[in-house]
Amino acid sequence: MSLQIGIVGLPNVGKSTLFQALTKKQVAAENYPFCTIDPNVGIVEVPDERLTKLADISKSEKVLPTTIEFVDIAGIVEGASKGEGLGNKFLSHIREVDAIIEVVRHFEDDNIIHVYNKIAPESDKETIDTELALADLETVTKRLQKLESEAKGNREAKLLQTIQILTKIEAALAEGIPARTIELSKEENILIKDLNLLTRKPLLYINNIDEKEIGNVPETDTSINICAKLESDLTALSDDEVKEYLETAGIKQTGLDKLILASYKLLDLITFLTSGPKESRAWTIKKGSKAPQAAGVIHGDFEKGFIRVEVIDWKDFVEYNGEQGVKDKGLMRLEGKDYIMQDGDTCYFRFNV
């Protein structure tokens, strides 16, 4: 399941530094606007301690975590929706991703130029959010004009329904309200899916803070704090050195691990697991997926020929030393086509070829 998260923000707020730390991939991070023009793409493993525990029990030859794809998109400036600062090109890159991380600068550094010569996080957020909303407003208005023209000689129900939905979204965008706040049914979402509205995508703010501010800046349901410079420095250390630093600083996890897990949650994803001597592996599915859909992530034939799935809670797998121990305790479940998968399910699928 290939899913992309775009990293956006004003120039020089730490996007490329954060991306470089995420992927340990060298990208342009020079001190000037638009040093990144084409988006850099990196695939990042999702940390999951459950996999290691399963692999130890199964004596697996391989451990294969699930992944998320991050896209480093160049800085957006005021007027981007009208093409300022190569805005049209950058906005087109954002349309292709599944969710957005918006990096907001909180750190002070006289050696790194702020595009507006001041550190003003709320103003910066407003600039980016406004540009995304204006770009969407232009997209929606153009589509509405086209559909309303078609409706003069066509009273098809689906066409009229689409006009009604877009009229509602247009009104919200005109007030600077993102399209994601408009509640739509699954059917209604399908009608406007091809527009790839920027403000319809899930959004998480990353407050890029000074190291001395770690633990002092409040986080919310829509924002987390990271010191991108520190995270970049940590990538040069060994795993043992990172562990020692975290223990000394009293920090439970790196900012990057926190970001990756928050991104996973942002996309409304869960993980199911498979484990055996050959490999222990994590698989990504949307929350609410049924067992046949999960089987299809492994192989399309599994979904087509799905019979049932043997399900073990990963904690039981570890506690009772694997599949046989769980069976002996009567804790393995047989589930059918209507079973809704749960995060941490350890599965063995039965299917007809």
Side-chain angles (χ1 to χ4, degrees):
M1 188 177 205
S2 179
L3 293 164
Q4 287 191 333
I5 294 185
I7 303 174
V8 306
L10 293 173
N12 295 344
V13 296
K15 299 182 310 304
S16 294
T17 301
L18 180 62
F19 177 83
Q20 186 172 314
L22 272 169
T23 62
K24 298 184 181 178
K25 184 177 182 179
Q26 296 301 311
V27 297
E30 286 82 8
N31 179 27
Y32 58 92
F34 315 122
C35 68
T36 311
I37 295 177
D38 293 323
N40 296 286
V41 180
I43 297 174
V44 178
E45 293 181 353
V46 177
D48 195 335
E49 62 178 13
R50 300 172 299 186
L51 262 187
T52 305
K53 293 178 180 179
L54 293 182
D56 288 344
I57 297 292
S58 299
K59 296 180 173 53
S60 304
E61 294 176 16
K62 296 179 182 177
V63 179
L64 300 172
T66 189
T67 61
I68 293 182
E69 202 167 291
F70 286 92
V71 183
D72 177 26
I73 297 168
I76 300 170
V77 294
E78 186 174 350
S81 59
K82 301 298 182 185
E84 290 293 327
L86 303 178
N88 290 334
K89 187 172 184 180
F90 301 161
L91 292 173
S92 70
H93 292 151
I94 303 172
R95 292 197 189 282
E96 297 170 6
V97 302
D98 300 286
I100 298 171
I101 286 174
E102 185 175 324
V103 181
V104 183
R105 179 172 173 175
H106 284 247
F107 68 89
E108 299 274 356
D109 189 333
D110 293 338
N111 295 316
I112 300 178
I113 302 164
H114 188 288
V115 69
Y116 297 128
N117 297 312
K118 61 179 180 178
I119 306 302
E122 291 306 315
S123 176
D124 290 355
K125 284 166 64 174
E126 185 177 343
T127 296
I128 298 295
D129 295 345
T130 297
E131 291 306 319
L132 298 183
L134 287 173
D136 277 352
L137 181 59
E138 183 178 359
T139 299
V140 170
T141 299
K142 283 183 178 178
R143 177 61 63 86
L144 261 178
Q145 289 172 349
K146 180 175 181 292
L147 295 181
E148 286 170 347
S149 178
E150 292 178 10
K152 290 176 182 177
N154 180 2
R155 306 306 292 174
E156 182 192 0
K158 188 176 288 187
L159 175 61
L160 298 177
Q161 185 182 15
T162 305
I163 290 173
Q164 185 179 29
I165 295 165
L166 291 180
T167 300
K168 191 189 305 182
I169 292 175
E170 182 185 43
L173 291 169
E175 295 293 325
I177 300 169
R180 74 179 64 85
T181 62
I182 306 298
E183 290 189 19
L184 299 178
S185 67
K186 184 177 179 180
E187 181 189 52
E188 289 172 332
N189 271 312
I190 291 172
L191 292 176
I192 64 165
K193 185 179 179 181
D194 68 307
L195 290 176
N196 278 323
L197 296 178
L198 304 172
T199 64
R200 189 82 186 151
K201 300 179 187 294
L203 172 68
L204 177 70
Y205 293 105
I206 301 296
N207 301 318
N208 189 5
I209 61 175
D210 288 305
E211 184 175 352
K212 65 179 181 292
E213 293 298 326
I214 293 175
N216 297 328
V217 180
E219 296 184 330
T220 68
D221 290 339
T222 58
S223 69
I224 63 172
N225 302 326
I226 287 182
C227 175
K229 183 179 182 303
L230 172 62
E231 297 300 325
S232 181
D233 292 342
L234 289 178
T235 62
L237 304 180
S238 68
D239 290 343
D240 288 340
E241 288 172 326
V242 172
K243 185 178 179 181
E244 182 181 349
Y245 168 80
L246 294 177
E247 289 175 352
T248 303
I251 301 172
K252 292 182 179 180
Q253 62 183 167
T254 66
L256 294 185
D257 282 352
K258 180 168 66 171
L259 168 58
I260 294 166
L261 292 172
S263 300
Y264 204 69
K265 184 178 178 182
L266 181 68
L267 288 167
D268 203 24
L269 303 175
I270 63 171
T271 298
F272 74 90
L273 310 160
T274 55
S275 185
K278 186 177 179 181
E279 66 179 32
S280 286
R281 184 164 182 169
W283 305 86
T284 299
I285 54 174
K286 280 282 188 181
K287 188 176 181 180
S289 295
K290 292 185 177 181
Q293 293 172 286
V297 172
I298 299 175
H299 196 288
D301 289 343
F302 287 20
E303 182 174 5
K304 293 174 186 175
F306 178 88
I307 301 173
R308 64 179 181 274
V309 59
E310 298 171 1
V311 182
I312 300 172
D313 186 288
W314 77 271
K315 292 179 182 176
D316 291 337
F317 193 99
V318 172
E319 183 175 352
Y320 299 110
N321 202 36
E323 183 179 327
Q324 190 56 53
V326 174
K327 284 181 176 178
D328 291 344
K329 291 290 182 179
L331 295 174
M332 176 183 280
R333 308 190 315 273
L334 294 178
E335 302 288 358
K337 293 182 178 180
D338 292 329
Y339 175 67
I340 297 175
M341 299 291 291
Q342 302 299 309
D343 189 61
D345 280 348
T346 304
C347 301
Y348 184 80
F349 293 95
R350 301 284 186 181
F351 64 98
N352 285 320
V353 178

